[in-house]
Amino acid sequence: MLPGELQATVQEAEQVAGCEIAVVPDAAANEFDNLTLRVDDGVCSATIGYRGESISRCALLHEVLHVKRYWLDAASILRPTTWRRYESEAQTVNDLIEHLIIIPEERRFVEAESNAHWSSVMATLAELPKISSPSSQADVDALQRSLLLQRAMMDIALPGLDHTRLYDRLRDENLLEASTAFIDRLRNMLNDKERALIFVSQEFRYDLTGFCVGRFHLRTDPKSFWRSPALTHSL
């Protein structure tokens, strides 16, 4: 199912990790699929889980690109400093940055299938309810984060998709100008993922001390997952 370039990526990743990448049915997987990467006492494991009878070529390719980033390129991963606290927030920010980098690569191989999948995802994200008045600051912040995330995805990762509806909503919320500045800054720091993670976390008004940065070091002996102290510095 994979092009030769990514077959070579799988072979290299499996050689470096010393394990096979398992692709298995999983009723608990999300609609696209799930990727689990672990290093326990120097022993690596990788599992791509999918729902249904088979995994799509697009989904498999997408997860292999994640494996390349995390296992071969040692890309930074945002994690919560305390288990269960800020876990969702860390995953949202980390996934955003990863997808801004991976989706253009994904589209090189399966452009039509990738566009169809992400068009559906973005249409779902666009169904944001209006904020009632008066509303809490938490509700306002959540809406603004979602709109900034959507604009980053549309402008950077999926520029060929129709963004008219999103831009109209940004104008309605008086966020078009601010979101433009956000995109301009973010676009210029994607080659430094840790810097991008800090920037987005700050723009989303998250407490940096609730996060740390980790990465897999599979080319070292013993294999390990390294974590930084809590993020405390600003850009």
Side-chain angles (χ1 to χ4, degrees), residues 1-39:
M1 295 177 69
L2 295 174
E5 180 180 333
L6 294 184
Q7 289 180 27
T9 295
V10 169
Q11 291 171 358
E12 182 181 4
E14 291 181 337
Q15 182 177 15
V16 169
C19 72
E20 291 187 350
I21 300 171
V23 182
V24 299
D26 181 357
N30 64 30
E31 186 177 350
F32 198 40
D33 55 18
N34 279 30
L35 172 66
T36 304
L37 300 176
R38 297 179 61 87
V39 177

PDB file of all heavy atoms in Angstrom, residues 1-39:
ATOM      1  N   MET A   1       0.809  -1.214   0.000  1.00  0.00           N
ATOM      2  CA  MET A   1       0.000   0.000   0.000  1.00  0.00           C
ATOM      3  C   MET A   1       0.843   1.265   0.000  1.00  0.00           C
ATOM      4  O   MET A   1       0.344   2.339  -0.318  1.00  0.00           O
ATOM      5  CB  MET A   1      -0.921   0.024   1.224  1.00  0.00           C
ATOM      6  CG  MET A   1      -1.984  -1.078   1.249  1.00  0.00           C
ATOM      7  SD  MET A   1      -2.989  -1.043   2.746  1.00  0.00           S
ATOM      8  CE  MET A   1      -3.909   0.472   2.514  1.00  0.00           C
ATOM      9  N   LEU A   2       2.104   1.159   0.374  1.00  0.00           N
ATOM     10  CA  LEU A   2       2.953   2.341   0.487  1.00  0.00           C
ATOM     11  C   LEU A   2       3.851   2.498  -0.731  1.00  0.00           C
ATOM     12  O   LEU A   2       4.310   1.508  -1.306  1.00  0.00           O
ATOM     13  CB  LEU A   2       3.839   2.236   1.734  1.00  0.00           C
ATOM     14  CG  LEU A   2       3.137   2.234   3.089  1.00  0.00           C
ATOM     15  CD1 LEU A   2       4.155   1.985   4.193  1.00  0.00           C
ATOM     16  CD2 LEU A   2       2.406   3.548   3.330  1.00  0.00           C
ATOM     17  N   PRO A   3       4.141   3.755  -1.120  1.00  0.00           N
ATOM     18  CA  PRO A   3       5.126   3.970  -2.184  1.00  0.00           C
ATOM     19  C   PRO A   3       6.509   3.542  -1.698  1.00  0.00           C
ATOM     20  O   PRO A   3       6.764   3.446  -0.489  1.00  0.00           O
ATOM     21  CB  PRO A   3       5.046   5.480  -2.437  1.00  0.00           C
ATOM     22  CG  PRO A   3       4.511   6.055  -1.165  1.00  0.00           C
ATOM     23  CD  PRO A   3       3.596   5.012  -0.593  1.00  0.00           C
ATOM     24  N   GLY A   4       7.421   3.307  -2.640  1.00  0.00           N
ATOM     25  CA  GLY A   4       8.751   2.820  -2.293  1.00  0.00           C
ATOM     26  C   GLY A   4       9.475   3.690  -1.278  1.00  0.00           C
ATOM     27  O   GLY A   4      10.164   3.182  -0.384  1.00  0.00           O
ATOM     28  N   GLU A   5       9.322   4.997  -1.399  1.00  0.00           N
ATOM     29  CA  GLU A   5       9.994   5.919  -0.478  1.00  0.00           C
ATOM     30  C   GLU A   5       9.592   5.651   0.967  1.00  0.00           C
ATOM     31  O   GLU A   5      10.432   5.676   1.882  1.00  0.00           O
ATOM     32  CB  GLU A   5       9.628   7.358  -0.872  1.00  0.00           C
ATOM     33  CG  GLU A   5      10.241   8.432  -0.007  1.00  0.00           C
ATOM     34  CD  GLU A   5       9.845   9.827  -0.458  1.00  0.00           C
ATOM     35  OE1 GLU A   5       9.542  10.011  -1.662  1.00  0.00           O
ATOM     36  OE2 GLU A   5       9.832  10.735   0.383  1.00  0.00           O
ATOM     37  N   LEU A   6       8.312   5.383   1.198  1.00  0.00           N
ATOM     38  CA  LEU A   6       7.846   5.153   2.561  1.00  0.00           C
ATOM     39  C   LEU A   6       8.016   3.701   2.995  1.00  0.00           C
ATOM     40  O   LEU A   6       8.084   3.424   4.196  1.00  0.00           O
ATOM     41  CB  LEU A   6       6.394   5.604   2.703  1.00  0.00           C
ATOM     42  CG  LEU A   6       6.188   7.108   2.557  1.00  0.00           C
ATOM     43  CD1 LEU A   6       4.742   7.493   2.806  1.00  0.00           C
ATOM     44  CD2 LEU A   6       7.107   7.883   3.501  1.00  0.00           C
ATOM     45  N   GLN A   7       8.095   2.776   2.046  1.00  0.00           N
ATOM     46  CA  GLN A   7       8.490   1.418   2.415  1.00  0.00           C
ATOM     47  C   GLN A   7       9.895   1.433   3.009  1.00  0.00           C
ATOM     48  O   GLN A   7      10.177   0.746   3.993  1.00  0.00           O
ATOM     49  CB  GLN A   7       8.439   0.498   1.188  1.00  0.00           C
ATOM     50  CG  GLN A   7       7.038   0.188   0.709  1.00  0.00           C
ATOM     51  CD  GLN A   7       7.048  -0.738  -0.503  1.00  0.00           C
ATOM     52  OE1 GLN A   7       7.979  -1.509  -0.685  1.00  0.00           O
ATOM     53  NE2 GLN A   7       6.010  -0.640  -1.322  1.00  0.00           N
ATOM     54  N   ALA A   8      10.773   2.241   2.421  1.00  0.00           N
ATOM     55  CA  ALA A   8      12.132   2.368   2.945  1.00  0.00           C
ATOM     56  C   ALA A   8      12.120   3.005   4.335  1.00  0.00           C
ATOM     57  O   ALA A   8      12.911   2.627   5.212  1.00  0.00           O
ATOM     58  CB  ALA A   8      12.989   3.194   1.986  1.00  0.00           C
ATOM     59  N   THR A   9      11.204   3.954   4.546  1.00  0.00           N
ATOM     60  CA  THR A   9      11.073   4.580   5.861  1.00  0.00           C
ATOM     61  C   THR A   9      10.673   3.548   6.909  1.00  0.00           C
ATOM     62  O   THR A   9      11.221   3.520   8.017  1.00  0.00           O
ATOM     63  CB  THR A   9      10.023   5.709   5.801  1.00  0.00           C
ATOM     64  OG1 THR A   9      10.485   6.747   4.944  1.00  0.00           O
ATOM     65  CG2 THR A   9       9.760   6.279   7.187  1.00  0.00           C
ATOM     66  N   VAL A  10       9.699   2.700   6.569  1.00  0.00           N
ATOM     67  CA  VAL A  10       9.263   1.658   7.493  1.00  0.00           C
ATOM     68  C   VAL A  10      10.415   0.719   7.816  1.00  0.00           C
ATOM     69  O   VAL A  10      10.651   0.369   8.985  1.00  0.00           O
ATOM     70  CB  VAL A  10       8.076   0.870   6.906  1.00  0.00           C
ATOM     71  CG1 VAL A  10       7.792  -0.375   7.734  1.00  0.00           C
ATOM     72  CG2 VAL A  10       6.845   1.752   6.842  1.00  0.00           C
ATOM     73  N   GLN A  11      11.153   0.291   6.806  1.00  0.00           N
ATOM     74  CA  GLN A  11      12.275  -0.622   7.025  1.00  0.00           C
ATOM     75  C   GLN A  11      13.325   0.000   7.931  1.00  0.00           C
ATOM     76  O   GLN A  11      13.849  -0.665   8.839  1.00  0.00           O
ATOM     77  CB  GLN A  11      12.886  -1.020   5.680  1.00  0.00           C
ATOM     78  CG  GLN A  11      11.981  -1.902   4.833  1.00  0.00           C
ATOM     79  CD  GLN A  11      12.504  -2.095   3.422  1.00  0.00           C
ATOM     80  OE1 GLN A  11      13.541  -1.541   3.044  1.00  0.00           O
ATOM     81  NE2 GLN A  11      11.780  -2.870   2.621  1.00  0.00           N
ATOM     82  N   GLU A  12      13.633   1.275   7.712  1.00  0.00           N
ATOM     83  CA  GLU A  12      14.632   1.950   8.546  1.00  0.00           C
ATOM     84  C   GLU A  12      14.129   2.086   9.974  1.00  0.00           C
ATOM     85  O   GLU A  12      14.875   1.837  10.934  1.00  0.00           O
ATOM     86  CB  GLU A  12      14.972   3.322   7.973  1.00  0.00           C
ATOM     87  CG  GLU A  12      16.053   4.041   8.774  1.00  0.00           C
ATOM     88  CD  GLU A  12      16.394   5.414   8.233  1.00  0.00           C
ATOM     89  OE1 GLU A  12      15.740   5.865   7.265  1.00  0.00           O
ATOM     90  OE2 GLU A  12      17.302   6.049   8.795  1.00  0.00           O
ATOM     91  N   ALA A  13      12.861   2.479  10.130  1.00  0.00           N
ATOM     92  CA  ALA A  13      12.304   2.645  11.474  1.00  0.00           C
ATOM     93  C   ALA A  13      12.301   1.324  12.234  1.00  0.00           C
ATOM     94  O   ALA A  13      12.654   1.274  13.428  1.00  0.00           O
ATOM     95  CB  ALA A  13      10.892   3.218  11.387  1.00  0.00           C
ATOM     96  N   GLU A  14      11.916   0.254  11.559  1.00  0.00           N
ATOM     97  CA  GLU A  14      11.885  -1.050  12.219  1.00  0.00           C
ATOM     98  C   GLU A  14      13.292  -1.530  12.574  1.00  0.00           C
ATOM     99  O   GLU A  14      13.508  -2.142  13.627  1.00  0.00           O
ATOM    100  CB  GLU A  14      11.178  -2.070  11.327  1.00  0.00           C
ATOM    101  CG  GLU A  14       9.680  -1.802  11.192  1.00  0.00           C
ATOM    102  CD  GLU A  14       8.957  -2.812  10.327  1.00  0.00           C
ATOM    103  OE1 GLU A  14       9.622  -3.461   9.478  1.00  0.00           O
ATOM    104  OE2 GLU A  14       7.726  -2.961  10.491  1.00  0.00           O
ATOM    105  N   GLN A  15      14.243  -1.206  11.722  1.00  0.00           N
ATOM    106  CA  GLN A  15      15.628  -1.598  12.005  1.00  0.00           C
ATOM    107  C   GLN A  15      16.175  -0.822  13.203  1.00  0.00           C
ATOM    108  O   GLN A  15      16.796  -1.402  14.091  1.00  0.00           O
ATOM    109  CB  GLN A  15      16.505  -1.351  10.777  1.00  0.00           C
ATOM    110  CG  GLN A  15      17.957  -1.763  10.959  1.00  0.00           C
ATOM    111  CD  GLN A  15      18.783  -1.560   9.699  1.00  0.00           C
ATOM    112  OE1 GLN A  15      18.361  -0.874   8.777  1.00  0.00           O
ATOM    113  NE2 GLN A  15      19.964  -2.140   9.656  1.00  0.00           N
ATOM    114  N   VAL A  16      15.939   0.480  13.223  1.00  0.00           N
ATOM    115  CA  VAL A  16      16.439   1.310  14.324  1.00  0.00           C
ATOM    116  C   VAL A  16      15.756   0.936  15.641  1.00  0.00           C
ATOM    117  O   VAL A  16      16.388   0.874  16.696  1.00  0.00           O
ATOM    118  CB  VAL A  16      16.215   2.809  14.011  1.00  0.00           C
ATOM    119  CG1 VAL A  16      16.480   3.672  15.237  1.00  0.00           C
ATOM    120  CG2 VAL A  16      17.110   3.247  12.866  1.00  0.00           C
ATOM    121  N   ALA A  17      14.439   0.671  15.571  1.00  0.00           N
ATOM    122  CA  ALA A  17      13.687   0.369  16.793  1.00  0.00           C
ATOM    123  C   ALA A  17      13.854  -1.077  17.239  1.00  0.00           C
ATOM    124  O   ALA A  17      13.631  -1.390  18.421  1.00  0.00           O
ATOM    125  CB  ALA A  17      12.200   0.656  16.565  1.00  0.00           C
ATOM    126  N   GLY A  18      14.205  -1.954  16.314  1.00  0.00           N
ATOM    127  CA  GLY A  18      14.324  -3.363  16.672  1.00  0.00           C
ATOM    128  C   GLY A  18      12.990  -4.041  16.863  1.00  0.00           C
ATOM    129  O   GLY A  18      12.871  -5.009  17.621  1.00  0.00           O
ATOM    130  N   CYS A  19      11.956  -3.534  16.193  1.00  0.00           N
ATOM    131  CA  CYS A  19      10.626  -4.148  16.285  1.00  0.00           C
ATOM    132  C   CYS A  19       9.858  -3.877  15.001  1.00  0.00           C
ATOM    133  O   CYS A  19      10.193  -2.961  14.245  1.00  0.00           O
ATOM    134  CB  CYS A  19       9.844  -3.608  17.483  1.00  0.00           C
ATOM    135  SG  CYS A  19       9.271  -1.903  17.283  1.00  0.00           S
ATOM    136  N   GLU A  20       8.838  -4.682  14.752  1.00  0.00           N
ATOM    137  CA  GLU A  20       7.971  -4.450  13.615  1.00  0.00           C
ATOM    138  C   GLU A  20       6.887  -3.438  13.981  1.00  0.00           C
ATOM    139  O   GLU A  20       6.473  -3.350  15.137  1.00  0.00           O
ATOM    140  CB  GLU A  20       7.312  -5.749  13.163  1.00  0.00           C
ATOM    141  CG  GLU A  20       8.277  -6.732  12.532  1.00  0.00           C
ATOM    142  CD  GLU A  20       7.563  -7.933  11.935  1.00  0.00           C
ATOM    143  OE1 GLU A  20       6.339  -8.082  12.190  1.00  0.00           O
ATOM    144  OE2 GLU A  20       8.202  -8.702  11.212  1.00  0.00           O
ATOM    145  N   ILE A  21       6.438  -2.672  13.004  1.00  0.00           N
ATOM    146  CA  ILE A  21       5.301  -1.765  13.201  1.00  0.00           C
ATOM    147  C   ILE A  21       4.034  -2.580  12.935  1.00  0.00           C
ATOM    148  O   ILE A  21       3.805  -3.021  11.808  1.00  0.00           O
ATOM    149  CB  ILE A  21       5.381  -0.562  12.252  1.00  0.00           C
ATOM    150  CG1 ILE A  21       6.667   0.236  12.510  1.00  0.00           C
ATOM    151  CG2 ILE A  21       4.150   0.335  12.430  1.00  0.00           C
ATOM    152  CD1 ILE A  21       6.935   1.316  11.476  1.00  0.00           C
ATOM    153  N   ALA A  22       3.257  -2.809  13.975  1.00  0.00           N
ATOM    154  CA  ALA A  22       2.050  -3.625  13.846  1.00  0.00           C
ATOM    155  C   ALA A  22       0.894  -2.774  13.338  1.00  0.00           C
ATOM    156  O   ALA A  22       0.701  -1.641  13.792  1.00  0.00           O
ATOM    157  CB  ALA A  22       1.690  -4.235  15.193  1.00  0.00           C
ATOM    158  N   VAL A  23       0.141  -3.305  12.395  1.00  0.00           N
ATOM    159  CA  VAL A  23      -1.072  -2.653  11.880  1.00  0.00           C
ATOM    160  C   VAL A  23      -2.222  -3.601  12.176  1.00  0.00           C
ATOM    161  O   VAL A  23      -2.305  -4.685  11.597  1.00  0.00           O
ATOM    162  CB  VAL A  23      -0.968  -2.360  10.375  1.00  0.00           C
ATOM    163  CG1 VAL A  23      -2.221  -1.630   9.880  1.00  0.00           C
ATOM    164  CG2 VAL A  23       0.286  -1.535  10.079  1.00  0.00           C
ATOM    165  N   VAL A  24      -3.105  -3.206  13.105  1.00  0.00           N
ATOM    166  CA  VAL A  24      -4.099  -4.150  13.628  1.00  0.00           C
ATOM    167  C   VAL A  24      -5.474  -3.494  13.710  1.00  0.00           C
ATOM    168  O   VAL A  24      -5.587  -2.279  13.928  1.00  0.00           O
ATOM    169  CB  VAL A  24      -3.699  -4.652  15.033  1.00  0.00           C
ATOM    170  CG1 VAL A  24      -2.368  -5.377  14.994  1.00  0.00           C
ATOM    171  CG2 VAL A  24      -3.630  -3.487  16.025  1.00  0.00           C
ATOM    172  N   PRO A  25      -6.546  -4.277  13.545  1.00  0.00           N
ATOM    173  CA  PRO A  25      -7.894  -3.738  13.778  1.00  0.00           C
ATOM    174  C   PRO A  25      -8.083  -3.409  15.247  1.00  0.00           C
ATOM    175  O   PRO A  25      -7.592  -4.121  16.127  1.00  0.00           O
ATOM    176  CB  PRO A  25      -8.814  -4.882  13.332  1.00  0.00           C
ATOM    177  CG  PRO A  25      -7.973  -6.111  13.413  1.00  0.00           C
ATOM    178  CD  PRO A  25      -6.569  -5.691  13.140  1.00  0.00           C
ATOM    179  N   ASP A  26      -8.778  -2.309  15.516  1.00  0.00           N
ATOM    180  CA  ASP A  26      -9.005  -1.868  16.896  1.00  0.00           C
ATOM    181  C   ASP A  26     -10.335  -1.134  16.938  1.00  0.00           C
ATOM    182  O   ASP A  26     -10.465  -0.034  16.412  1.00  0.00           O
ATOM    183  CB  ASP A  26      -7.866  -0.952  17.347  1.00  0.00           C
ATOM    184  CG  ASP A  26      -8.012  -0.478  18.791  1.00  0.00           C
ATOM    185  OD1 ASP A  26      -9.032  -0.804  19.435  1.00  0.00           O
ATOM    186  OD2 ASP A  26      -7.097   0.227  19.273  1.00  0.00           O
ATOM    187  N   ALA A  27     -11.329  -1.735  17.577  1.00  0.00           N
ATOM    188  CA  ALA A  27     -12.659  -1.134  17.641  1.00  0.00           C
ATOM    189  C   ALA A  27     -12.648   0.197  18.377  1.00  0.00           C
ATOM    190  O   ALA A  27     -13.544   1.024  18.194  1.00  0.00           O
ATOM    191  CB  ALA A  27     -13.631  -2.099  18.310  1.00  0.00           C
ATOM    192  N   ALA A  28     -11.627   0.407  19.221  1.00  0.00           N
ATOM    193  CA  ALA A  28     -11.554   1.654  19.994  1.00  0.00           C
ATOM    194  C   ALA A  28     -10.806   2.759  19.261  1.00  0.00           C
ATOM    195  O   ALA A  28     -10.693   3.879  19.774  1.00  0.00           O
ATOM    196  CB  ALA A  28     -10.874   1.383  21.336  1.00  0.00           C
ATOM    197  N   ALA A  29     -10.286   2.487  18.081  1.00  0.00           N
ATOM    198  CA  ALA A  29      -9.550   3.500  17.320  1.00  0.00           C
ATOM    199  C   ALA A  29     -10.492   4.612  16.893  1.00  0.00           C
ATOM    200  O   ALA A  29     -11.707   4.426  16.788  1.00  0.00           O
ATOM    201  CB  ALA A  29      -8.891   2.867  16.092  1.00  0.00           C
ATOM    202  N   ASN A  30      -9.930   5.797  16.635  1.00  0.00           N
ATOM    203  CA  ASN A  30     -10.779   6.887  16.161  1.00  0.00           C
ATOM    204  C   ASN A  30     -11.154   6.655  14.708  1.00  0.00           C
ATOM    205  O   ASN A  30     -10.761   5.651  14.103  1.00  0.00           O
ATOM    206  CB  ASN A  30     -10.112   8.254  16.382  1.00  0.00           C
ATOM    207  CG  ASN A  30      -8.842   8.427  15.570  1.00  0.00           C
ATOM    208  OD1 ASN A  30      -8.689   7.866  14.486  1.00  0.00           O
ATOM    209  ND2 ASN A  30      -7.910   9.212  16.079  1.00  0.00           N
ATOM    210  N   GLU A  31     -11.878   7.587  14.123  1.00  0.00           N
ATOM    211  CA  GLU A  31     -12.433   7.366  12.778  1.00  0.00           C
ATOM    212  C   GLU A  31     -11.355   7.167  11.734  1.00  0.00           C
ATOM    213  O   GLU A  31     -11.532   6.402  10.780  1.00  0.00           O
ATOM    214  CB  GLU A  31     -13.334   8.545  12.398  1.00  0.00           C
ATOM    215  CG  GLU A  31     -14.067   8.348  11.082  1.00  0.00           C
ATOM    216  CD  GLU A  31     -15.011   9.493  10.773  1.00  0.00           C
ATOM    217  OE1 GLU A  31     -15.228  10.340  11.663  1.00  0.00           O
ATOM    218  OE2 GLU A  31     -15.521   9.529   9.645  1.00  0.00           O
ATOM    219  N   PHE A  32     -10.238   7.863  11.871  1.00  0.00           N
ATOM    220  CA  PHE A  32      -9.144   7.739  10.899  1.00  0.00           C
ATOM    221  C   PHE A  32      -8.286   6.534  11.278  1.00  0.00           C
ATOM    222  O   PHE A  32      -8.273   5.522  10.608  1.00  0.00           O
ATOM    223  CB  PHE A  32      -8.331   9.041  10.904  1.00  0.00           C
ATOM    224  CG  PHE A  32      -7.461   9.231   9.692  1.00  0.00           C
ATOM    225  CD1 PHE A  32      -7.888   8.894   8.427  1.00  0.00           C
ATOM    226  CD2 PHE A  32      -6.203   9.804   9.824  1.00  0.00           C
ATOM    227  CE1 PHE A  32      -7.096   9.103   7.304  1.00  0.00           C
ATOM    228  CE2 PHE A  32      -5.397  10.029   8.715  1.00  0.00           C
ATOM    229  CZ  PHE A  32      -5.845   9.674   7.458  1.00  0.00           C
ATOM    230  N   ASP A  33      -7.576   6.629  12.399  1.00  0.00           N
ATOM    231  CA  ASP A  33      -6.808   5.531  12.968  1.00  0.00           C
ATOM    232  C   ASP A  33      -6.087   6.044  14.211  1.00  0.00           C
ATOM    233  O   ASP A  33      -6.223   7.206  14.575  1.00  0.00           O
ATOM    234  CB  ASP A  33      -5.812   4.947  11.960  1.00  0.00           C
ATOM    235  CG  ASP A  33      -4.889   6.007  11.383  1.00  0.00           C
ATOM    236  OD1 ASP A  33      -4.795   7.079  11.986  1.00  0.00           O
ATOM    237  OD2 ASP A  33      -4.274   5.756  10.338  1.00  0.00           O
ATOM    238  N   ASN A  34      -5.349   5.170  14.874  1.00  0.00           N
ATOM    239  CA  ASN A  34      -4.592   5.527  16.067  1.00  0.00           C
ATOM    240  C   ASN A  34      -3.161   5.030  15.932  1.00  0.00           C
ATOM    241  O   ASN A  34      -2.926   3.942  15.389  1.00  0.00           O
ATOM    242  CB  ASN A  34      -5.208   4.886  17.315  1.00  0.00           C
ATOM    243  CG  ASN A  34      -6.404   5.653  17.845  1.00  0.00           C
ATOM    244  OD1 ASN A  34      -7.114   6.290  17.079  1.00  0.00           O
ATOM    245  ND2 ASN A  34      -6.627   5.582  19.132  1.00  0.00           N
ATOM    246  N   LEU A  35      -2.227   5.804  16.460  1.00  0.00           N
ATOM    247  CA  LEU A  35      -0.826   5.395  16.491  1.00  0.00           C
ATOM    248  C   LEU A  35      -0.346   5.409  17.932  1.00  0.00           C
ATOM    249  O   LEU A  35      -0.522   6.387  18.651  1.00  0.00           O
ATOM    250  CB  LEU A  35       0.029   6.353  15.660  1.00  0.00           C
ATOM    251  CG  LEU A  35       1.549   6.152  15.748  1.00  0.00           C
ATOM    252  CD1 LEU A  35       1.942   4.810  15.143  1.00  0.00           C
ATOM    253  CD2 LEU A  35       2.282   7.293  15.055  1.00  0.00           C
ATOM    254  N   THR A  36       0.266   4.303  18.361  1.00  0.00           N
ATOM    255  CA  THR A  36       0.854   4.212  19.697  1.00  0.00           C
ATOM    256  C   THR A  36       2.322   3.847  19.551  1.00  0.00           C
ATOM    257  O   THR A  36       2.656   2.808  18.966  1.00  0.00           O
ATOM    258  CB  THR A  36       0.155   3.147  20.555  1.00  0.00           C
ATOM    259  OG1 THR A  36      -1.237   3.437  20.624  1.00  0.00           O
ATOM    260  CG2 THR A  36       0.733   3.128  21.963  1.00  0.00           C
ATOM    261  N   LEU A  37       3.206   4.693  20.056  1.00  0.00           N
ATOM    262  CA  LEU A  37       4.644   4.456  20.066  1.00  0.00           C
ATOM    263  C   LEU A  37       5.114   4.411  21.508  1.00  0.00           C
ATOM    264  O   LEU A  37       4.768   5.287  22.307  1.00  0.00           O
ATOM    265  CB  LEU A  37       5.388   5.570  19.320  1.00  0.00           C
ATOM    266  CG  LEU A  37       5.041   5.780  17.843  1.00  0.00           C
ATOM    267  CD1 LEU A  37       5.788   6.987  17.293  1.00  0.00           C
ATOM    268  CD2 LEU A  37       5.378   4.540  17.029  1.00  0.00           C
ATOM    269  N   ARG A  38       5.906   3.408  21.838  1.00  0.00           N
ATOM    270  CA  ARG A  38       6.377   3.256  23.221  1.00  0.00           C
ATOM    271  C   ARG A  38       7.838   2.802  23.231  1.00  0.00           C
ATOM    272  O   ARG A  38       8.306   2.133  22.306  1.00  0.00           O
ATOM    273  CB  ARG A  38       5.540   2.224  23.985  1.00  0.00           C
ATOM    274  CG  ARG A  38       4.079   2.584  24.140  1.00  0.00           C
ATOM    275  CD  ARG A  38       3.345   1.477  24.887  1.00  0.00           C
ATOM    276  NE  ARG A  38       3.880   1.279  26.229  1.00  0.00           N
ATOM    277  CZ  ARG A  38       3.472   1.964  27.302  1.00  0.00           C
ATOM    278  NH1 ARG A  38       2.525   2.864  27.176  1.00  0.00           N
ATOM    279  NH2 ARG A  38       4.003   1.731  28.479  1.00  0.00           N
ATOM    280  N   VAL A  39       8.514   3.176  24.320  1.00  0.00           N
ATOM    281  CA  VAL A  39       9.818   2.612  24.650  1.00  0.00           C
ATOM    282  C   VAL A  39       9.774   2.270  26.130  1.00  0.00           C
ATOM    283  O   VAL A  39       9.649   3.159  26.975  1.00  0.00           O
ATOM    284  CB  VAL A  39      10.978   3.589  24.366  1.00  0.00           C
ATOM    285  CG1 VAL A  39      12.305   2.966  24.808  1.00  0.00           C
ATOM    286  CG2 VAL A  39      11.050   3.955  22.896  1.00  0.00           C
TER     287      VAL A  39
END
